[in-house]
Amino acid sequence: MTPDLSIQLAPRNGRGLLLANPVMTASGTFGYGTEYSQVFDIQRLGAIVCKGTTLAPREGNPQPRLFETTSGLLNSIGWQNIGVKALIKEKAPVWAGWRVPIIVNIGGDTIDDYVRLAKELDGAAGVSGIEVNISCPNVKVGGAAFGVNPDSAAAVTAAVRAATSLPVIVKLTPNTSDIAIVAAAVAEAGADAVSLINTLKGTAIDINKRRPAIGNIICGLSGPAIKPVALAMVYEVAGAVSVPVIGCGGISGAEDALEFIMAGASAVQVGSATFSNPRASLDVLEGIERFTEEEGIQNLSEIIGAGRGDTTG
Ligand SMILES: Cc1cc2nc3c(=O)[nH]c(=O)nc-3n(C[C@H](O)[C@H](O)[C@H](O)COP(=O)(O)O)c2cc1C
């Protein structure tokens, strides 16, 4: 029998957010989905999270904006995007014809920006949910500034919650003293789910030119280097909240994804791995399908949290 890998990511939201399987793409690493529709059957994915979207179009940060490190990637893209109006006009109508749910990742400088974005997206056909990015380390204002503190994180969440009936996922930053406390605060403020982690703060110095190797200096580290950190944070957050947790950070194969699920994640996001293997998310899904079939697992719920030291299962 084919295992049932479906998962409800917004159980306490009237509209719900039902995914056919737990494999999502991470914001900023899969464009608007359209770019990859020629590479593989993207409709097979659980969900696609599109590029970070702001009210007005943005050019992003100065070049260079990507720098490879040992087992990782530094980026300082800085929310380069087409803006929410163009997204609703040009991208959402395409998404409306797709089976795979699309979640729009939003970013702003002020709480009012987030509220206006949520309101704009509320009625848009083709948009199944919102991921609130309060965790970007490489924009000058807004971004991670909201996510480092439980009070400001809760304030953004409550404001977005009040502005839309769409499922709201809040994306958390690892660059804070206790991510579980921030997660509990946003869950309490009305988040339907939390996703983590965004990138860790990092930089690199060009020793010959004696200056930073990347335009924006302080930027975000992603890729395999951050996986154990992300996994520990997902473990902690899954123990602290009752809303679904979406795990992200350094996932490049099915075994990585299964570790996150067994740590307590209900779904996973594949990010930087797509840059070296454009079909990485599909490979992760197919690996999970193989594993569950081979292990005789009939339902995803049997393995969510199954690897936690605090359970006997
Ligand atoms: C080039 C690049 C752009 C990103 N843009 C966004 C973004 O717009 N919004 C967001 O919430 N996260 C963004 N992220 C963070 C990823 O979604 C993800 O949280 C992070 O890279 C960790 O996952 P990974 O190690 O699998 O890449 C970006 C990451 C990269 C590498």
Side-chain angles (χ1 to χ4, degrees), residues 25-30 49-53 65-66 73-81 105-107 131-138 171-172 195-200 220-227 230 247-252 269-275:
T25 59
S27 177
T29 64
F30 206 72
V49 184
C50 82
K51 237 172 140 35
T53 297
R65 305 195 292 197
L66 289 174
L73 176 70
L74 287 166
N75 95 82
S76 72
I77 305 294
W79 287 345
Q80 180 191 17
N81 78 101
N105 179 282
I106 59 170
E131 184 178 61
V132 184
N133 178 5
I134 50 166
S135 45
C136 186
N138 53 45
K171 182 157 179 187
L172 304 175
S195 55
L196 61 143
I197 58 176
N198 207 316
T199 51
L200 282 151
L221 178 66
S222 61
I226 72 168
K227 193 193 97 179
C248 175
I251 296 175
S252 51
Q269 295 181 352
V270 178
S272 308
T274 293
F275 296 138

Side-chain angles (χ1 to χ4, degrees), residues 249-272:
I251 296 175
S252 51
E255 287 177 12
D256 300 325
L258 286 161
E259 279 192 74
F260 277 85
I261 292 168
M262 291 188 189
S266 295
V268 292
Q269 295 181 352
V270 178
S272 308

Side-chain angles (χ1 to χ4, degrees), residues 113-289:
D113 286 354
Y114 285 93
V115 167
R116 286 170 61 199
L117 282 158
K119 283 189 177 155
E120 296 258 11
L121 291 165
D122 196 43
V127 176
S128 296
I130 292 177
E131 184 178 61
V132 184
N133 178 5
I134 50 166
S135 45
C136 186
N138 53 45
V139 287
K140 288 207 164 50
V141 281
F146 291 112
V148 294
N149 170 292
D151 295 335
S152 52
V156 180
T157 305
V160 171
R161 172 72 293 153
T164 179
S165 61
L166 282 167
V168 172
I169 300 167
V170 177
K171 182 157 179 187
L172 304 175
T173 177
N175 304 312
T176 181
S177 56
D178 191 338
I179 196 168
I181 290 178
V182 180
V186 303
E188 173 77 30
D192 292 299
V194 290
S195 55
L196 61 143
I197 58 176
N198 207 316
T199 51
L200 282 151
K201 257 191 207 181
T203 193
I205 304 286
D206 182 328
I207 57 167
N208 296 312
K209 294 184 181 151
R210 291 165 175 69
R211 64 167 194 237
I214 190 151
N216 201 44
I217 308 178
I218 300 299
C219 41
L221 178 66
S222 61
I226 72 168
K227 193 193 97 179
V229 179
L231 193 57
M233 291 188 171
V234 165
Y235 190 101
E236 285 175 348
V237 168
V241 298
S242 53
V243 297
V245 174
I246 302 164
C248 175
I251 296 175
S252 51
E255 287 177 12
D256 300 325
L258 286 161
E259 279 192 74
F260 277 85
I261 292 168
M262 291 188 189
S266 295
V268 292
Q269 295 181 352
V270 178
S272 308
T274 293
F275 296 138
S276 48
N277 169 16
R279 38 171 291 151
S281 46
L282 184 63
D283 288 348
V284 167
L285 171 59
E286 289 179 347
I288 294 175
E289 287 172 344

